Amino acid sequence: MAQLEEADAAQLHLEDVDVKPADGGPVPSAGGAAKQEVKDEAAADNDAKPSITTTERHISIQTKLEGLEMLVDLNGAGRKSCPLCPEEKFKACYSHKLRRHLQNLHWKVYVEFEGQRMCICHLPCRHLKPSLSGDQASGRHMAHYHCVVCSATIARKTDMISHLKRHVNKGETEASYSVSSDVSFEEPALSGQAYEIMKELGTNVQLLPNYTTPQKSDTYFNRKMKTNRKLVFCSLAVLAEERHPLECLDAFGATGIMGLQWAKHLCSAVRVTITDISDACVKMIKENCKLNHIRAEGGTRGSRGPDAASGDIEKDPIATVEVAKMDANVIMHLRPFDYIHLDPFGTAVNYLDAAFRNVRNLGIISVTSTDTSSLYAKSPNVTLRHYGCHIVRTEYYKELAARMVVATVARAAARCNKGIEVLLAVALEHFVLVVVRVLRGPTQADESAKKLRKLVHCQWCEARVFLKLGNMVDDTLPCNCHGRLPGKTAVLLGPLWSGPLFNTGFLRGMLSAAVQHSMDDIQPLVKTLICESECTTLKSLVHGPSALTSQVECGVVIRTLQSGEESGPADQCGKRKTGDESGNVVKKLKPDTSLEHPPFYYSIHRHSIRGMNMPKLNKFLQFLMEAGFRVSRTHFDPTGVRTDATLEQFKSVLTKYSVPTCTKATATQTSVSTETTA
């Protein structure tokens, strides 16, 4: 009889607190309920947190909205209280108001983990420390989440997400709560949302629904970087024409879209390695390999073998890609590569030393920087900390950012006794892309270091000039603002890269690759870069193989595209040649500085004259050419003009061909004189 009374009391206790099983099943037996009550009392006595099982999870953790509504009998009559809010916070109300409260507050404000939603809880579950006055914290500070793994209570949503990530990294997950144990907790596909398949350059990739939020998705994918990926692909295609097979590295794979494009279109000419430090990214890359019929291999270079993820691919895959879970600095120290692409989230300065340490001679390193706040002088303290440069906001701030990144790359190469030749420097939208060729030897490193100079910039008229080599500093600005204006007007910027930012022969090779692979959207950009590198407005460009036999790069002749002949085995592996054959790879010549494009550009709107109508930009370019100056447009600024004319000469030509603005007074006088004459 005593046992029956104890069982009835336990059953009444369960009904009072509305605890129901997580899977919506029947209520536990009377004996199990009694044991549960004893266990809860024991857990409340000590400070140790019990390990949660399926029947012990908190009522705020649910899989469906119906489970949250089942905590209260919404079909019954009368006023009812919220099961997740105290009475003083949310007073008892009718069913329709309570249902709206559960949906709009508790169900929407949640943290998801492996299909389980940890809804926000306002009950006094947390043991808050008293304040200095001895009072408990107010009710608005009691909102918290209950961890589905360790039963901890955490107030902030971001802290709970970080807390769950630590559980995942340690392997501390409960299989009883997971719908699929091999899927990351951040995948919303478990809550009914499917993967999104996107196709770019003939390559399919599956994306998570939250792929656009880098803070919430490990497999971050940016649609706006499509131009960046195509420019990198074209630069790799030019190098693949020089020698093959190439060892290529996509150091930050994410979804693996870039490395898969390399392997799918260049096939046997490249050996692609895709790495990422995240387990979710590595798994996503392998899934995308299967989606594109590409074999994914794992392990180190010495033990290359088919991975388990490639078991479903047919026997004849179109390409093979090595996928590795490894830090970018580690793999670049372990293995040499011919082509390395660095595209981290933000700045890439932390990976430059490792990239130049083991890159092969005459190889290519491409760097993408997306930290626009420090590149565009919005955070000068971060700029000084990351790049070691002092810059201010100018009219040519995008080219200033590109030269700053190149200067940082040159210093990293010089520390490894290597020099660089800048092949391409682009600043578009929210990224800066720099592509450089590596020249081995201390002599080449010294030549590159000599091109790092300070820049004197006038903050009043935007005049600028690079300081000459040496320690002597004089008034080198061509303007006289410092003489006719009170105070100092000039500022010292840098050190920056003072050499050319483009190589015409390499850009023509990229244009041929863009035509070959049907990249119509970037062909106008590459043509603009070719005109900018030559400082000309000519629109007739030859992108055939006959025009791409050789090129001069900082005193080094390098064969870019060969027509009618094949490269030898020594040329394929990228080693130095001796004897008469060395002239095709490395040959010291006197550089022709007259062919270099002038640094920086002028904005036609920045130097417009008040009360005067400027000529059209194309007409103004023609006027500058007729005056005997080299002129071209620039991709950095649609209203910019790159010319070798000084600022005074630029303004004089602009003033000469500008016409006065027709004001209302002038128009009235003209109409009155016309009527008088009539």
Side-chain angles (χ1 to χ4, degrees), residues 60-312:
S60 62
I61 304 174
Q62 300 291 336
T63 57
K64 296 182 180 180
L65 178 61
E66 290 77 8
L68 190 63
E69 294 177 349
M70 286 175 61
L71 298 176
V72 182
D73 185 14
L74 297 178
N75 297 325
R79 300 176 181 268
K80 301 177 180 61
S81 301
C82 176
L84 298 178
C85 294
E87 184 68 23
E88 60 271 11
K89 180 177 179 61
F90 186 81
K91 296 182 179 180
C93 60
Y94 291 103
S95 298
H96 65 282
K97 290 186 178 181
L98 182 58
R99 180 181 287 107
R100 193 184 314 125
H101 168 76
L102 292 175
Q103 292 178 356
N104 297 337
L105 177 63
H106 298 288
W107 184 248
K108 285 188 177 181
V109 185
Y110 67 94
V111 177
E112 188 171 357
F113 177 74
E114 295 184 351
Q116 305 288 331
R117 283 196 178 187
M118 291 165 278
C119 303
I120 191 169
C121 176
H122 293 273
L123 297 175
C125 307
R126 304 189 68 196
H127 299 286
L128 300 179
K129 295 181 180 180
S131 60
L132 295 178
S133 59
D135 299 333
Q136 291 284 344
S138 59
R140 61 186 181 91
H141 295 294
M142 291 184 181
H144 57 276
Y145 299 91
H146 290 264
C147 180
V148 73
V149 179
C150 66
S151 75
T153 56
I154 298 178
R156 300 182 61 183
K157 182 177 181 180
T158 55
D159 294 341
M160 174 58 76
I161 294 175
S162 302
H163 176 79
L164 292 173
K165 283 185 178 180
R166 287 192 292 270
H167 280 305
V168 173
N169 294 334
K170 296 179 181 179
E172 300 174 352
T173 56
E174 291 288 341
S176 58
Y177 292 121
S178 61
V179 180
S180 177
S181 59
D182 57 347
V183 181
S184 175
F185 72 94
E186 292 181 346
E187 293 186 18
L190 299 174
S191 60
Q193 301 178 359
Y195 287 105
E196 179 180 349
I197 305 297
M198 206 194 82
K199 188 173 184 180
E200 180 181 302
L201 198 61
T203 306
N204 297 319
V205 289
Q206 61 180 3
L207 307 172
L208 296 177
N210 60 344
Y211 65 89
T212 57
T213 54
Q215 300 296 335
K216 297 183 180 180
S217 175
D218 292 332
T219 57
Y220 175 61
F221 182 83
N222 193 349
R223 293 176 181 266
K224 296 181 180 180
M225 298 292 284
K226 181 179 179 181
T227 303
N228 178 275
R229 287 187 285 268
K230 291 188 175 182
L231 289 175
V232 172
F233 177 86
C234 291
S235 64
L236 176 60
V238 175
L239 183 63
E241 292 290 337
E242 300 178 18
R243 55 187 183 188
H244 58 274
L246 296 175
E247 289 284 346
C248 309
L249 173 65
D250 183 10
F252 301 89
T255 59
I257 176 67
M258 186 172 293
L260 295 178
Q261 290 176 354
W262 299 349
K264 191 168 186 178
H265 293 277
L266 300 179
C267 299
S268 61
V270 294
R271 296 175 182 172
V272 181
T273 302
I274 307 176
T275 62
D276 204 286
I277 196 62
S278 172
D279 290 325
C281 292
V282 173
K283 181 188 175 184
M284 180 69 70
I285 293 170
K286 293 180 179 179
E287 293 293 333
N288 290 331
C289 287
K290 290 197 289 186
L291 192 63
N292 293 276
H293 305 287
I294 297 176
R295 178 182 288 115
E297 294 182 348
T300 59
R301 185 183 181 187
S303 60
R304 266 192 164 186
D307 192 73
S310 60
D312 299 336

Side-chain angles (χ1 to χ4, degrees), residues 597-662:
H597 56 84
F600 302 114
Y601 54 89
Y602 301 104
S603 176
I604 189 173
H605 289 291
R606 169 64 177 83
H607 301 285
S608 61
I609 304 170
R610 187 174 184 179
M612 304 284 286
N613 283 333
M614 300 181 301
K616 297 294 184 180
L617 183 57
N618 292 332
K619 286 288 186 181
F620 181 68
L621 296 179
Q622 184 178 355
F623 295 150
L624 282 175
M625 291 181 62
E626 293 176 355
F629 301 111
R630 298 173 60 199
V631 181
S632 72
R633 303 188 69 169
T634 176
H635 80 281
F636 291 111
D637 188 358
T639 63
V641 178
R642 186 181 296 278
T643 177
D644 57 350
T646 62
L647 182 59
E648 295 297 330
Q649 295 169 341
F650 181 87
K651 288 184 176 181
S652 63
V653 177
L654 185 62
T655 305
K656 179 180 178 181
Y657 294 98
S658 298
V659 295
T661 304
C662 182

Side-chain angles (χ1 to χ4, degrees), residues 451 498-500 533-535 554 591-599 630:
K451 295 183 179 180
S498 62
S533 65
E534 297 178 344
C535 199
C554 192
D592 189 4
T593 56
S594 61
L595 297 178
E596 294 183 359
H597 56 84
R630 298 173 60 199

Side-chain angles (χ1 to χ4, degrees), residues 318-531:
I318 61 176
T320 302
V321 171
E322 180 183 353
V323 182
K325 179 184 179 297
M326 192 176 299
D327 185 77
N329 285 325
V330 175
I331 193 169
M332 286 187 294
H333 275 292
L334 291 177
R335 294 171 48 184
F337 291 96
D338 299 286
Y339 190 96
I340 298 176
H341 177 63
L342 302 176
D343 185 11
F345 184 73
T347 180
V349 295
N350 298 327
Y351 307 95
L352 294 178
D353 290 334
F356 281 101
R357 178 64 61 184
N358 219 5
V359 66
R360 289 195 175 101
N361 188 29
L362 302 180
I364 291 180
I365 294 179
S366 59
V367 180
T368 300
S369 300
T370 55
D371 52 332
T372 55
S373 60
S374 58
L375 292 175
Y376 295 160
K378 296 180 181 178
S379 302
N381 55 334
V382 181
T383 305
L384 185 62
R385 184 168 67 247
H386 287 172
Y387 299 96
C389 296
H390 171 66
I391 59 174
V392 295
R393 186 78 170 191
T394 61
E395 64 171 329
Y396 51 92
Y397 68 95
K398 286 190 175 182
E399 184 171 346
L400 201 67
R403 292 186 178 274
M404 181 174 60
V405 175
V406 175
T408 307
V409 172
R411 285 195 295 268
R415 287 192 291 268
C416 301
N417 287 334
K418 295 175 183 176
I420 65 169
E421 168 61 25
V422 183
L423 305 176
L424 174 68
V426 174
L428 293 173
E429 295 179 353
H430 62 288
F431 70 90
V432 175
L433 172 65
V434 172
V435 181
V436 300
R437 190 187 293 273
V438 180
L439 306 176
R440 183 176 297 173
T443 304
Q444 301 293 341
D446 294 339
E447 292 295 329
S448 299
K450 290 179 182 178
K451 295 183 179 180
L452 302 180
R453 302 182 185 178
K454 291 280 189 175
L455 180 72
V456 182
H457 169 79
C458 180
Q459 292 185 300
W460 183 261
C461 67
E462 298 280 350
R464 77 298 302 244
V465 64
F466 279 110
L467 290 179
K468 297 180 181 180
L469 291 177
N471 298 326
M472 302 300 294
V473 179
D474 53 358
D475 296 333
T476 55
L477 278 176
C479 65
N480 58 349
C481 296
H482 60 282
R484 60 186 179 87
L485 294 175
K488 297 181 179 180
T489 61
V491 62
L492 200 61
L493 308 181
L496 304 171
W497 176 262
S498 62
L501 294 179
F502 312 99
N503 184 273
T504 307
F506 191 85
L507 289 174
R508 290 183 181 273
M510 292 180 60
L511 181 59
S512 295
V515 173
Q516 180 182 356
H517 295 280
S518 302
M519 300 181 185
D520 300 332
D521 51 346
I522 69 167
Q523 291 181 23
L525 173 61
V526 179
K527 291 179 181 179
T528 302
L529 295 176
I530 294 176
C531 293

